[in-house]
Amino acid sequence: MEIKDSVGKRGHSDDEIRHALENAIRAWPDDGFNMFVGPLRDGTLVEVGAKPDGVVFHVMKARSQFL
């Protein structure tokens, strides 16, 4: 897995992002990438966008349309 540097600008560490992916509660394909919803270690749900090759390019607090 490769986590793009731009993802870290929201303050989430690579470990937190991996935790959210490893504990995802929802996952689905979307226009050339996969979207996941999972918890950070503090329980905050985040949405994570990742390409099929494992490159994570999007992380933010989960919006209602993804819950």
Side-chain angles (χ1 to χ4, degrees), residues 6-45:
S6 60
V7 171
K9 71 181 179 182
R10 296 199 186 264
H12 307 302
S13 70
D14 289 1
D15 286 340
E16 288 286 339
I17 295 166
R18 282 188 192 91
H19 184 271
L21 287 170
E22 290 168 359
N23 296 284
I25 59 172
R26 286 198 67 199
W28 62 94
D30 192 355
D31 198 26
F33 63 92
N34 297 306
M35 185 64 78
F36 302 87
V37 172
L40 298 176
R41 292 186 192 279
D42 68 1
T44 302
L45 291 176

